[in-house]
Coordinates of all heavy atoms in Angstrom, one line a residue:
M1189 N 62.3 90.4 71.0 CA 61.5 90.1 72.2 C 60.1 89.8 71.7 O 59.5 90.5 70.9 CB 61.5 91.3 73.1 CG 60.8 91.1 74.4 SD 60.8 92.5 75.6 CE 62.5 92.8 75.9
N1190 N 59.5 88.7 72.2 CA 58.2 88.3 71.8 C 57.2 89.0 72.7 O 57.5 89.7 73.7 CB 58.0 86.8 71.8 CG 58.0 86.2 73.1 OD1 57.6 86.7 74.1 ND2 58.5 84.9 73.2
V1191 N 55.9 88.9 72.4 CA 54.8 89.6 73.1 C 54.8 89.2 74.6 O 54.8 90.1 75.5 CB 53.4 89.4 72.5 CG1 52.3 90.0 73.3 CG2 53.4 90.0 71.1
R1192 N 54.9 88.0 74.9 CA 54.9 87.5 76.3 C 56.0 88.1 77.1 O 55.9 88.6 78.2 CB 55.0 86.0 76.3 CG 54.8 85.5 77.8 CD 55.1 84.0 77.9 NE 54.8 83.5 79.2 CZ 55.5 83.8 80.3 NH1 56.6 84.6 80.2 NH2 55.2 83.4 81.5
E1193 N 57.3 88.1 76.5 CA 58.4 88.6 77.2 C 58.2 90.1 77.4 O 58.6 90.7 78.5 CB 59.7 88.4 76.4 CG 60.1 86.9 76.3 CD 61.2 86.7 75.3 OE1 61.4 87.5 74.4 OE2 61.8 85.6 75.4
E1194 N 57.6 90.8 76.5 CA 57.4 92.3 76.6 C 56.4 92.6 77.7 O 56.5 93.5 78.4 CB 57.0 92.9 75.3 CG 57.3 94.3 75.2 CD 57.3 94.9 73.8 OE1 57.3 94.1 72.8 OE2 57.2 96.1 73.6
V1195 N 55.3 91.8 77.7 CA 54.3 91.9 78.8 C 55.0 91.7 80.2 O 54.7 92.5 81.1 CB 53.1 91.0 78.6 CG1 52.2 91.0 79.8 CG2 52.3 91.4 77.3
V1196 N 55.8 90.6 80.3 CA 56.5 90.4 81.5 C 57.4 91.6 81.9 O 57.4 92.0 83.0 CB 57.3 89.1 81.4 CG1 58.3 89.0 82.6 CG2 56.4 87.8 81.3
D1197 N 58.1 92.1 80.9 CA 58.9 93.3 81.1 C 58.1 94.5 81.6 O 58.6 95.2 82.6 CB 59.7 93.6 79.9 CG 60.9 94.5 80.1 OD1 61.7 94.2 81.0 OD2 61.0 95.5 79.4
V1198 N 57.0 94.7 81.0 CA 56.1 95.8 81.5 C 55.7 95.6 82.9 O 55.8 96.5 83.8 CB 54.9 96.0 80.5 CG1 53.9 97.0 81.1 CG2 55.4 96.5 79.2
L1199 N 55.3 94.4 83.3 CA 54.8 94.1 84.6 C 55.9 94.1 85.6 O 55.7 94.5 86.8 CB 54.0 92.8 84.7 CG 52.5 93.0 84.5 CD1 52.2 93.6 83.1 CD2 51.7 91.7 84.7
R1200 N 57.1 93.8 85.2 CA 58.3 93.9 86.1 C 58.5 95.3 86.4 O 58.9 95.7 87.5 CB 59.5 93.3 85.4 CG 59.6 91.8 85.4 CD 60.9 91.3 84.8 NE 62.0 91.8 85.5 CZ 63.1 92.4 85.0 NH1 63.1 92.6 83.7 NH2 64.1 92.8 85.7
G1201 N 58.2 96.2 85.5 CA 58.4 97.7 85.7 C 57.4 98.2 86.7 O 57.7 99.3 87.3
I1202 N 56.4 97.5 87.0 CA 55.4 98.0 88.0 C 55.4 97.2 89.3 O 54.5 97.3 90.1 CB 54.0 98.2 87.4 CG1 53.4 96.9 86.9 CG2 53.9 99.2 86.4 CD1 52.0 96.9 86.4
G1203 N 56.5 96.3 89.4 CA 56.7 95.7 90.7 C 56.5 94.2 90.8 O 56.7 93.6 91.8
F1204 N 56.2 93.5 89.7 CA 56.1 92.0 89.7 C 57.4 91.4 89.4 O 58.3 91.9 88.7 CB 55.1 91.6 88.7 CG 53.7 91.9 89.0 CD1 53.1 93.1 88.6 CD2 52.9 91.1 89.8 CE1 51.8 93.5 89.0 CE2 51.6 91.4 90.1 CZ 51.1 92.6 89.7
D1205 N 57.6 90.2 90.0 CA 58.8 89.4 89.7 C 58.5 88.5 88.5 O 57.4 87.9 88.4 CB 59.1 88.4 90.9 CG 59.6 89.2 92.1 OD1 60.2 90.2 92.0 OD2 59.3 88.7 93.2
A1206 N 59.5 88.5 87.6 CA 59.3 87.7 86.3 C 59.0 86.2 86.6 O 58.2 85.6 85.9 CB 60.5 87.8 85.4
E1207 N 59.5 85.7 87.7 CA 59.3 84.3 88.0 C 57.9 84.0 88.3 O 57.5 82.8 88.1 CB 60.2 83.9 89.2 CG 61.7 84.0 88.9 CD 62.2 85.4 89.0 OE1 61.7 86.2 89.8 OE2 63.2 85.7 88.2
E1208 N 57.1 84.9 88.8 CA 55.8 84.7 89.2 C 54.8 84.8 88.0 O 53.6 84.5 88.1 CB 55.3 85.5 90.4 CG 55.3 87.0 90.1 CD 55.0 87.9 91.3 OE1 54.5 87.3 92.3 OE2 55.2 89.1 91.3
L1209 N 55.3 85.4 86.9 CA 54.4 85.7 85.8 C 54.4 84.5 84.8 O 55.1 84.5 83.8 CB 54.8 87.0 85.1 CG 54.8 88.2 86.0 CD1 55.3 89.4 85.3 CD2 53.3 88.4 86.5
E1210 N 53.6 83.5 85.1 CA 53.5 82.3 84.2 C 52.0 82.3 83.7 O 51.1 82.8 84.4 CB 53.7 81.0 85.0 CG 55.2 81.0 85.6 CD 55.4 79.8 86.5 OE1 54.4 78.9 86.6 OE2 56.4 79.7 87.1
D1211 N 51.9 81.8 82.5 CA 50.6 81.9 81.8 C 49.4 81.3 82.6 O 48.3 81.9 82.6 CB 50.7 81.2 80.5 CG 51.5 81.9 79.4 OD1 51.8 83.1 79.7 OD2 51.8 81.3 78.4
G1212 N 49.6 80.3 83.4 CA 48.5 79.7 84.1 C 48.2 80.3 85.5 O 47.3 79.9 86.1
R1213 N 49.0 81.3 85.8 CA 48.8 81.9 87.2 C 47.6 82.8 87.2 O 47.4 83.6 86.4 CB 50.0 82.8 87.5 CG 51.4 82.1 87.6 CD 51.5 81.1 88.7 NE 51.3 81.7 90.1 CZ 52.3 82.0 90.9 NH1 53.5 82.0 90.5 NH2 52.0 82.5 92.1
H1214 N 46.7 82.5 88.2 CA 45.5 83.2 88.4 C 45.8 84.6 88.9 O 46.5 84.7 89.9 CB 44.6 82.4 89.3 CG 43.2 82.9 89.4 ND1 42.8 83.9 90.1 CD2 42.1 82.4 88.7 CE1 41.5 84.1 90.0 NE2 41.0 83.2 89.1
L1215 N 45.2 85.6 88.3 CA 45.5 87.0 88.6 C 45.2 87.3 90.1 O 46.0 87.9 90.8 CB 44.8 88.0 87.7 CG 45.2 87.9 86.2 CD1 44.3 88.8 85.4 CD2 46.7 88.2 86.0
S1216 N 44.0 87.0 90.5 CA 43.6 87.4 91.9 C 44.2 86.4 92.9 O 44.7 86.7 93.9 CB 42.1 87.5 92.1 OG 41.4 86.4 91.8
R1217 N 44.0 85.1 92.7 CA 44.3 84.1 93.6 C 45.9 83.9 93.8 O 46.4 83.9 94.9 CB 43.7 82.7 93.3 CG 43.9 81.6 94.3 CD 43.2 80.3 93.9 NE 43.7 79.9 92.5 CZ 42.9 79.7 91.5 NH1 41.7 79.8 91.6 NH2 43.5 79.2 90.3
D1218 N 46.6 83.8 92.6 CA 48.0 83.5 92.7 C 48.9 84.8 92.7 O 49.9 84.7 93.4 CB 48.4 82.7 91.4 CG 47.7 81.3 91.4 OD1 47.4 80.8 92.4 OD2 47.4 80.9 90.3
L1219 N 48.4 85.8 92.1 CA 49.2 87.0 92.0 C 48.7 88.1 92.9 O 49.3 89.2 92.9 CB 49.3 87.5 90.5 CG 49.9 86.5 89.5 CD1 49.8 87.0 88.1 CD2 51.4 86.2 89.9
D1220 N 47.6 87.9 93.6 CA 47.1 88.9 94.5 C 46.8 90.2 93.9 O 47.0 91.3 94.4 CB 48.0 89.0 95.7 CG 47.3 89.6 96.9 OD1 46.1 89.4 97.0 OD2 47.9 90.3 97.7
I1221 N 46.2 90.2 92.6 CA 45.9 91.4 91.9 C 44.4 91.6 92.1 O 43.5 90.8 91.8 CB 46.2 91.2 90.4 CG1 47.7 91.1 90.2 CG2 45.6 92.4 89.6 CD1 48.1 90.7 88.8
D1222 N 44.0 92.8 92.7 CA 42.6 93.2 92.8 C 42.2 94.0 91.6 O 42.9 94.2 90.7 CB 42.4 93.9 94.1 CG 43.1 95.3 94.2 OD1 43.4 95.9 93.2 OD2 43.3 95.7 95.3
S1223 N 40.9 94.3 91.6 CA 40.3 95.0 90.4 C 41.0 96.3 90.1 O 41.1 96.7 88.9 CB 38.8 95.1 90.5 OG 38.5 95.9 91.7
T1224 N 41.3 97.0 91.1 CA 42.0 98.3 90.9 C 43.3 98.1 90.3 O 43.7 98.9 89.4 CB 42.1 99.1 92.3 OG1 40.8 99.3 92.8 CG2 42.7 100.4 92.1
E1225 N 44.1 97.2 90.8 CA 45.4 96.9 90.3 C 45.3 96.4 88.8 O 46.2 96.8 88.0 CB 46.2 95.9 91.1 CG 46.6 96.4 92.5 CD 47.1 95.3 93.4 OE1 46.4 94.2 93.5 OE2 48.2 95.5 93.9
L1226 N 44.3 95.6 88.5 CA 44.1 95.2 87.2 C 43.9 96.3 86.2 O 44.4 96.3 85.1 CB 43.0 94.1 87.1 CG 42.7 93.5 85.7 CD1 44.0 92.8 85.2 CD2 41.6 92.5 85.8
V1227 N 43.1 97.3 86.6 CA 42.9 98.5 85.8 C 44.2 99.2 85.5 O 44.5 99.6 84.4 CB 41.8 99.4 86.4 CG1 41.8 100.8 85.7 CG2 40.5 98.8 86.5
E1228 N 45.0 99.3 86.5 CA 46.3 100.0 86.4 C 47.2 99.2 85.4 O 47.9 99.8 84.6 CB 47.0 100.1 87.7 CG 46.3 101.1 88.7 CD 46.9 101.0 90.1 OE1 47.9 100.4 90.3 OE2 46.3 101.7 91.0
I1229 N 47.2 97.9 85.5 CA 47.9 97.0 84.6 C 47.5 97.2 83.2 O 48.3 97.3 82.3 CB 47.9 95.5 85.1 CG1 48.6 95.3 86.4 CG2 48.4 94.6 84.0 CD1 48.4 94.0 87.1
V1230 N 46.1 97.2 83.0 CA 45.6 97.3 81.7 C 46.0 98.6 81.0 O 46.4 98.7 79.9 CB 44.0 97.1 81.7 CG1 43.4 97.6 80.4 CG2 43.7 95.6 81.9
V1231 N 45.9 99.7 81.8 CA 46.2 101.1 81.3 C 47.7 101.1 81.0 O 48.1 101.6 79.9 CB 45.9 102.1 82.4 CG1 46.5 103.5 82.0 CG2 44.4 102.3 82.5
T1232 N 48.6 100.5 81.8 CA 50.0 100.5 81.5 C 50.3 99.7 80.2 O 51.1 100.1 79.4 CB 50.8 99.8 82.7 OG1 50.5 100.6 83.9 CG2 52.2 99.8 82.4
L1233 N 49.6 98.6 80.0 CA 49.8 97.8 78.8 C 49.3 98.6 77.6 O 49.9 98.6 76.5 CB 49.1 96.4 78.9 CG 49.7 95.4 79.9 CD1 48.7 94.2 80.1 CD2 51.1 95.0 79.4
E1234 N 48.1 99.2 77.7 CA 47.6 100.0 76.6 C 48.6 101.1 76.2 O 48.9 101.3 75.0 CB 46.3 100.7 77.0 CG 45.1 99.8 77.1 CD 43.9 100.5 77.6 OE1 44.0 101.4 78.4 OE2 42.8 100.0 77.2
Q1235 N 49.2 101.8 77.2 CA 50.1 102.9 76.9 C 51.4 102.3 76.3 O 51.9 102.9 75.3 CB 50.5 103.7 78.2 CG 49.3 104.5 78.7 CD 49.5 105.1 80.0 OE1 50.5 104.7 80.7 NE2 48.7 106.0 80.4
H1236 N 51.9 101.2 76.8 CA 53.1 100.6 76.3 C 53.0 100.1 74.9 O 53.9 100.4 74.0 CB 53.6 99.5 77.2 CG 54.9 98.8 76.8 ND1 56.1 99.4 77.0 CD2 55.1 97.7 76.0 CE1 57.0 98.6 76.5 NE2 56.4 97.6 75.8
F1237 N 51.9 99.4 74.6 CA 51.8 98.8 73.3 C 51.0 99.7 72.3 O 50.9 99.3 71.1 CB 51.1 97.5 73.4 CG 51.9 96.4 74.0 CD1 51.8 96.1 75.4 CD2 52.9 95.7 73.3 CE1 52.6 95.1 75.9 CE2 53.7 94.7 73.8 CZ 53.5 94.4 75.2
G1238 N 50.4 100.8 72.7 CA 49.6 101.6 71.8 C 48.3 100.9 71.4 O 47.9 101.0 70.2
I1239 N 47.7 100.2 72.3 CA 46.4 99.4 72.0 C 45.3 99.9 72.9 O 45.6 100.6 73.9 CB 46.6 97.9 72.1 CG1 47.1 97.5 73.6 CG2 47.6 97.4 71.1 CD1 47.3 96.1 73.8
D1240 N 44.1 99.5 72.6 CA 42.9 99.8 73.4 C 42.4 98.4 73.9 O 41.9 97.6 73.1 CB 41.8 100.5 72.7 CG 42.3 101.9 72.3 OD1 42.9 102.6 73.2 OD2 42.1 102.3 71.1
I1241 N 42.4 98.2 75.2 CA 41.9 96.9 75.8 C 40.6 97.2 76.4 O 40.5 98.0 77.3 CB 42.9 96.4 76.8 CG1 44.3 96.1 76.2 CG2 42.3 95.1 77.5 CD1 45.3 95.7 77.2
D1242 N 39.6 96.5 75.9 CA 38.2 96.5 76.6 C 38.1 95.2 77.4 O 37.7 94.2 76.8 CB 37.1 96.6 75.5 CG 35.8 96.8 76.1 OD1 35.6 96.5 77.3 OD2 34.8 97.1 75.3
A1243 N 38.4 95.3 78.6 CA 38.4 94.1 79.5 C 37.0 93.4 79.5 O 36.9 92.2 79.5 CB 38.8 94.4 80.9
E1244 N 35.9 94.2 79.4 CA 34.6 93.6 79.4 C 34.3 92.8 78.1 O 33.8 91.7 78.1 CB 33.5 94.6 79.6 CG 33.5 95.2 81.0 CD 32.4 96.2 81.3 OE1 31.4 96.1 80.6 OE2 32.6 97.0 82.1
A1245 N 34.7 93.4 77.0 CA 34.6 92.8 75.7 C 35.4 91.5 75.6 O 35.1 90.5 74.9 CB 34.9 93.7 74.5
E1246 N 36.6 91.5 76.3 CA 37.5 90.4 76.3 C 37.0 89.3 77.2 O 37.5 88.2 77.3 CB 38.9 90.8 76.7 CG 39.6 91.7 75.8 CD 40.0 91.0 74.5 OE1 40.2 89.7 74.5 OE2 40.1 91.6 73.5
G1247 N 35.9 89.6 77.9 CA 35.4 88.6 78.9 C 36.1 88.6 80.2 O 36.0 87.6 81.0
G1248 N 36.8 89.6 80.4 CA 37.6 89.7 81.7 C 38.9 88.9 81.6 O 39.1 88.2 80.6
F1249 N 39.7 89.0 82.5 CA 41.0 88.3 82.6 C 41.0 87.5 83.8 O 40.8 88.0 84.9 CB 42.1 89.3 82.5 CG 42.1 90.2 81.4 CD1 41.8 91.6 81.5 CD2 42.4 89.7 80.1 CE1 41.8 92.4 80.5 CE2 42.3 90.6 79.0 CZ 42.1 91.9 79.2
T1250 N 41.3 86.2 83.7 CA 41.5 85.3 84.8 C 42.9 85.0 85.1 O 43.3 85.0 86.2 CB 40.7 84.0 84.5 OG1 39.3 84.3 84.2 CG2 40.7 83.1 85.7
T1251 N 43.7 84.8 84.0 CA 45.1 84.4 84.2 C 46.0 85.4 83.5 O 45.6 86.2 82.7 CB 45.4 83.0 83.6 OG1 45.2 83.0 82.2 CG2 44.4 81.9 84.2
F1252 N 47.3 85.3 83.9 CA 48.3 86.1 83.2 C 48.3 85.8 81.7 O 48.5 86.7 80.9 CB 49.7 85.8 83.9 CG 50.8 86.5 83.1 CD1 50.9 87.9 83.2 CD2 51.7 85.8 82.4 CE1 51.9 88.5 82.6 CE2 52.7 86.5 81.7 CZ 52.8 87.8 81.8
G1253 N 48.1 84.5 81.4 CA 48.1 84.1 80.0 C 47.0 84.8 79.2 O 47.1 85.2 78.0
D1254 N 45.8 85.1 79.9 CA 44.7 85.8 79.3 C 45.2 87.2 78.9 O 44.8 87.7 77.8 CB 43.5 86.0 80.2 CG 42.9 84.7 80.5 OD1 43.0 83.7 79.8 OD2 42.1 84.6 81.6
L1255 N 46.0 87.9 79.7 CA 46.5 89.2 79.4 C 47.4 89.2 78.2 O 47.3 90.0 77.3 CB 47.3 89.8 80.6 CG 46.5 90.3 81.8 CD1 47.4 90.7 82.9 CD2 45.6 91.5 81.3
V1256 N 48.3 88.2 78.2 CA 49.3 88.0 77.1 C 48.5 87.8 75.8 O 48.8 88.4 74.7 CB 50.3 86.9 77.4 CG1 51.1 86.7 76.1 CG2 51.1 87.3 78.6
D1257 N 47.5 86.9 75.8 CA 46.8 86.5 74.6 C 46.0 87.8 74.1 O 46.0 88.0 72.9 CB 45.7 85.4 74.9 CG 46.4 84.1 75.2 OD1 47.6 83.9 74.8 OD2 45.7 83.2 75.7
C1258 N 45.4 88.6 75.0 CA 44.7 89.8 74.6 C 45.6 90.7 73.9 O 45.3 91.3 72.8 CB 44.1 90.4 75.8 SG 43.3 92.0 75.5
V1259 N 46.8 91.0 74.5 CA 47.8 91.9 73.8 C 48.2 91.4 72.5 O 48.2 92.1 71.5 CB 49.0 92.1 74.8 CG1 50.1 92.9 74.0 CG2 48.6 92.9 76.0
A1260 N 48.5 90.1 72.4 CA 48.9 89.5 71.1 C 47.8 89.7 70.0 O 48.2 89.9 68.9 CB 49.3 88.0 71.3
R1261 N 46.6 89.5 70.4 CA 45.5 89.7 69.5 C 45.3 91.1 69.0 O 45.0 91.4 67.8 CB 44.1 89.2 70.1 CG 43.8 87.7 70.0 CD 42.4 87.4 70.3 NE 41.9 88.0 71.5 CZ 42.1 87.5 72.8 NH1 42.7 86.4 72.9 NH2 41.6 88.1 73.8
L1262 N 45.5 92.0 69.9 CA 45.3 93.4 69.6 C 46.4 94.1 68.9 O 46.2 95.1 68.2 CB 44.9 94.2 70.9 CG 43.6 93.9 71.5 CD1 43.5 94.6 72.9 CD2 42.4 94.2 70.6
L1263 N 47.6 93.6 69.0 CA 48.7 94.3 68.3 C 48.6 94.4 66.8 O 48.9 95.4 66.2 CB 50.0 93.6 68.7 CG 50.6 94.0 70.0 CD1 51.9 93.2 70.4 CD2 50.9 95.4 70.1
P1264 N 48.2 93.3 66.1 CA 48.1 93.4 64.6 C 47.0 94.5 64.3 O 47.2 95.3 63.3 CB 47.6 92.1 64.2 CG 48.1 91.1 65.2 CD 48.0 91.9 66.5
A1265 N 45.9 94.6 65.0 CA 44.9 95.6 64.7 C 45.5 97.0 65.0 O 45.2 98.0 64.2 CB 43.7 95.4 65.6
A1266 N 46.3 97.2 66.0 CA 46.9 98.5 66.3 C 47.9 98.9 65.2 O 47.9 100.0 64.7 CB 47.6 98.5 67.6
A1267 N 48.6 97.9 64.7 CA 49.6 98.2 63.6 C 48.9 98.6 62.3 O 49.3 99.5 61.6 CB 50.4 96.9 63.3
G1268 N 47.7 98.0 62.1 CA 46.9 98.4 60.9 C 46.4 99.8 60.9 O 46.1 100.4 59.9
R1269 N 46.2 100.3 62.2 CA 45.7 101.7 62.3 C 46.8 102.7 62.2 O 46.5 103.9 62.0 CB 45.0 101.9 63.7 CG 43.7 101.2 63.8 CD 43.0 101.6 65.1 NE 43.8 101.7 66.2 CZ 43.8 100.8 67.3 NH1 43.0 99.8 67.2 NH2 44.6 101.0 68.3
G1270 N 48.0 102.3 62.3 CA 49.2 103.2 62.3 C 49.3 103.9 61.0 O 49.6 105.0 60.8

């Protein structure tokens, strides 16, 4: 399973439909995710992947693809700490 598929799987576990999770989908406008929900999603991804996501340092997240890219970037760093 690649990183994108795994992120989709994690978000499916918290109630999203896989069909709506496309890279270009805007988090608030298209997926109706508010700031509180985004924090919950980030915490869930951190726990699942064993990474630390600093949304402010990442410049925030606008699209689903932004989340996937962030996780993909942070995974090698997390593996190096293991």
Side-chain angles (χ1 to χ4, degrees):
M1189 183 179 302
N1190 68 33
V1191 172
R1192 185 188 185 290
E1193 291 169 343
E1194 202 164 344
V1195 171
V1196 167
D1197 197 47
V1198 169
L1199 268 62
R1200 282 183 59 233
I1202 58 175
F1204 289 90
D1205 292 327
E1207 297 80 33
E1208 66 185 344
L1209 299 174
E1210 298 174 6
D1211 289 348
R1213 299 293 301 263
H1214 194 275
L1215 297 174
S1216 62
R1217 185 180 58 237
D1218 298 328
L1219 300 174
D1220 200 29
I1221 296 172
D1222 64 25
S1223 59
T1224 302
E1225 291 172 311
L1226 182 57
V1227 169
E1228 293 171 8
I1229 289 167
V1230 167
V1231 169
T1232 301
L1233 290 171
E1234 288 177 327
Q1235 292 172 345
H1236 179 83
F1237 289 100
I1239 58 177
D1240 294 315
I1241 299 172
D1242 183 346
E1244 289 181 28
E1246 292 291 331
F1249 303 109
T1250 303
T1251 66
F1252 174 71
D1254 293 340
L1255 284 173
V1256 173
D1257 291 344
C1258 175
V1259 170
R1261 274 193 311 276
L1262 293 173
L1263 278 177
R1269 289 192 313 253

